Amino acid sequence: MSNIKTHFCTQNTSTPIAKPANALRILHTADWHLGKLLHGQARYDEFAKFLDWLNQSLIAHQVDILIVAGDIFDTSTPSNRAEQLYHQFLAHAYRNQIKHIVIVAGNHDSPTSLQKTKEVLGVLNTQVIGHISDDIGDEVLTLTDTDGSPLAIVMAVPYLRDRDVRTSGQAQDIQQKTNQLLQGVANHYQQLFEVAHQKQQALQQTTQRHIPIIATGHLFAAGSSISSDDDGMRDLQVGTLGQISGAIFDERIDYVALGHIHAAQQVAGKTQIRYSGSPIAMGFGEIGREKQVLLIDFQDNQDIQIHSLFVPIFQNLAKIWGDWDEISTQIDVLKTKNESVWLEVEYTGKKIIANLRSQLTALLDGSQLAVLSLKNKTLYQGSLQKNKLNASLQELDELAIFEQRLAKEELDDEEKQALKLAYQTLLQEMHDADTK
């Protein structure tokens, strides 16, 4: 068995998916995370190539409406370069005569920063919803064709924070707070749907056509699967991250465009409730996973048609593991390709190699290979044990560190779960307080 997994650049060789006559075509994407680093390595070239590909795809596949379901940026304070890529993309899409773009904020985005561009981007046929409004109708958009005829009704829902949907009454414990939060989210979607459905019925009377209702969401639906342990998700919020039922979406909603989970998938087996997933690999654990955006076709009196449009790979990644001989052999193979490759190397040999990184650096000299992540699984003894602990802490997130600490306590499972919920809630409150 080869001790290597690779994720090598591919070309966009797919032929355009034919658009049915008189169909409304939507492209659903999410979780761009513009500005995200991979173990400290900037990825702006990848993001630029993806956005160029996306603009070309909007034209080739005759897309009418683009929906971006949150996490446009990786942080609430994106770099100038990340913002430049975002605005360049929107300008190009407008020039390419995309009829409408709908963008909602994710948990990584700053609601205020996105919202402040709302009026300017509105001139470019781009509707931005950074946070919910006092007027719930502001989140229900009626999108029209160039002649003014209605195309779709969009329930444009951003990432919902506790303060957005908190129900009345002081929670007595973590579970009650979680239940209130879940109920608040469900109530918000129900109120929006009632507004959207009234608009739909009114339009049906005047046009004699079924105008589809499309909802967005940036949340963790119950039963969903994350892409990998290192895909960059902030698994913080109790309740909304793991317990939201797909049942909160009224069955009369024609399509639900979700973001937050980086693996493309259906929710609760419902064809019309989908995560598009992230368009590029968010970590080495996603090597081998095909990335995609989704094309959805709506036609009068017909079931919707959903097509997966696979995204090319724009940066070579590889994961190598084994003892020194196995690792060096795989690196020699990669060097023969004479291509840029970012590596994750995991040393599992029995022999202790104290200067592993320097030996790897010497081995890579003169090549286009770069080690971004190095994991040394050798069992250190004596003074080396401290080095092992430090390396492990760099690989763990806050929750994983807390769980390791919790494992040392003599507590039953129920007590551990209660403490974990309390810790997750604290992390979420800290995160939401920083996201302005």
Side-chain angles (χ1 to χ4, degrees):
M1 179 179 178
S2 178
N3 290 24
I4 185 171
K5 290 182 179 179
T6 58
H7 194 71
F8 271 43
C9 292
T10 57
Q11 298 297 318
N12 182 24
T13 57
S14 60
T15 57
I17 298 171
K19 180 181 178 181
N22 302 317
L24 169 69
R25 173 164 283 181
I26 289 175
L27 190 148
H28 165 204
T29 180
D31 297 286
W32 294 354
H33 289 276
L34 300 179
K36 180 178 176 59
L37 305 177
L38 182 60
H39 294 280
Q41 175 66 49
R43 311 180 73 178
Y44 292 117
D45 286 346
E46 275 183 279
F47 294 128
K49 289 175 182 177
F50 161 68
L51 293 175
D52 285 345
W53 172 86
L54 182 57
N55 252 318
Q56 294 167 14
S57 297
L58 293 173
I59 300 170
H61 296 277
Q62 299 176 281
V63 172
D64 299 299
I65 300 172
L66 169 66
I67 293 179
V68 188
D71 280 356
I72 293 86
F73 299 108
D74 192 55
T75 73
S76 59
T77 54
S79 66
N80 291 337
R81 177 64 174 137
E83 290 190 320
Q84 181 185 35
L85 288 173
Y86 169 64
H87 291 122
Q88 282 180 342
F89 167 81
L90 295 177
H92 290 161
Y94 175 74
R95 286 198 292 268
N96 292 334
Q97 299 183 335
I98 302 304
K99 293 175 183 176
H100 293 280
I101 298 176
V102 177
I103 296 173
V104 298
N107 61 304
H108 283 241
D109 300 312
S110 164
T112 303
S113 295
L114 281 185
Q115 194 81 7
K116 71 183 180 182
T117 63
K118 181 181 179 69
E119 292 185 6
V120 174
L121 293 179
V123 179
L124 304 181
N125 295 338
T126 299
Q127 305 294 323
V128 178
I129 304 295
H131 51 69
I132 66 174
S133 167
D134 291 336
D135 183 355
I136 198 165
D138 290 347
E139 293 172 64
V140 181
L141 313 174
T142 301
L143 306 183
T144 61
D145 208 339
T146 52
D147 61 2
S149 60
L151 291 172
I153 299 167
V154 179
M155 296 163 50
V157 186
Y159 175 71
L160 297 174
R161 291 170 168 78
D162 179 57
R163 62 174 179 263
D164 297 327
V165 296
R166 184 184 296 115
T167 56
S168 60
Q170 186 68 32
Q172 300 300 313
D173 54 35
I174 295 296
Q175 189 59 54
Q176 188 177 7
K177 181 175 181 179
T178 298
N179 291 339
Q180 288 182 355
L181 181 57
L182 292 172
Q183 189 59 53
V185 173
N187 291 345
H188 188 77
Y189 273 97
Q190 183 58 40
Q191 291 169 10
L192 283 177
F193 175 74
E194 290 172 1
V195 174
H197 191 234
Q198 289 176 3
K199 287 190 175 186
Q200 185 187 53
Q201 289 180 314
L203 289 171
Q204 191 159 2
Q205 289 181 356
T206 58
T207 65
Q208 302 303 308
R209 292 174 45 233
H210 173 79
I211 307 302
I213 295 177
I214 300 156
T216 73
H218 194 87
L219 48 83
F220 199 141
S224 301
S225 301
I226 66 170
S227 187
S228 69
D229 291 339
D230 67 344
D231 70 354
M233 283 193 57
R234 288 175 177 163
D235 188 6
L236 301 180
Q237 185 164 347
V238 182
T240 59
L241 272 192
Q243 301 179 35
I244 290 184
S245 169
I248 71 169
F249 304 111
D250 193 286
E251 292 187 355
R252 290 167 289 181
I253 297 175
D254 294 272
Y255 183 77
V256 181
L258 295 178
H260 189 58
I261 305 295
H262 295 162
Q265 59 197 283
Q266 298 179 23
V267 172
K270 299 291 184 67
T271 301
Q272 78 278 16
I273 307 177
R274 299 277 187 125
Y275 286 102
S276 64
S278 59
I280 66 174
M282 291 291 136
F284 286 97
E286 291 197 283
I287 286 177
R289 289 184 177 272
E290 286 188 305
K291 293 297 186 176
Q292 61 186 267
V293 298
L294 297 170
L295 294 174
I296 306 96
D297 291 330
F298 301 86
Q299 291 178 278
D300 289 342
N301 303 316
Q302 294 189 35
D303 292 337
I304 64 171
Q305 300 295 316
I306 301 175
H307 311 276
S308 295
L309 184 59
F310 293 102
V311 181
I313 299 168
F314 303 109
Q315 171 61 50
N316 296 327
L317 302 176
K319 182 174 182 177
I320 298 171
W321 64 94
D323 60 24
W324 177 252
D325 289 340
E326 291 169 324
I327 289 172
S328 58
T329 296
Q330 297 296 344
I331 286 178
D332 286 340
V333 171
L334 290 175
K335 287 167 70 174
T336 63
K337 298 180 181 295
N338 196 29
E339 296 180 31
S340 171
V341 185
W342 294 346
L343 301 173
E344 179 173 84
V345 178
E346 183 176 323
Y347 177 71
T348 60
K350 295 181 179 180
K351 180 181 178 181
I352 295 174
I353 303 179
N355 58 343
L356 180 59
R357 182 171 288 278
S358 62
Q359 290 199 38
L360 281 171
T361 300
L363 185 61
L364 299 178
D365 186 44
S367 74
Q368 298 184 61
L369 311 182
V371 176
L372 303 191
S373 173
L374 176 59
K375 298 180 178 181
N376 193 335
K377 297 300 182 181
T378 303
L379 294 178
Y380 287 82
Q381 301 294 327
S383 62
L384 291 179
Q385 186 64 36
K386 182 178 179 181
N387 293 335
K388 179 192 175 187
L389 177 60
N390 290 339
S392 297
L393 287 174
Q394 293 175 5
E395 299 167 9
L396 299 174
D397 59 19
E398 300 99 322
L399 185 58
I401 294 172
F402 183 77
E403 288 174 335
Q404 286 198 4
R405 178 65 182 84
L406 202 58
K408 297 179 179 180
E409 298 297 322
E410 295 183 1
L411 301 170
D412 59 35
D413 291 342
E414 186 175 344
E415 291 173 319
K416 288 181 178 179
Q417 183 62 20
L419 286 171
K420 181 179 174 182
L421 289 174
Y423 184 70
Q424 286 179 296
T425 301
L426 177 61
L427 286 176
Q428 184 60 39
E429 289 176 349
M430 292 172 60
H431 172 64
D432 284 354
D434 289 340
T435 307
K436 303 296 185 182

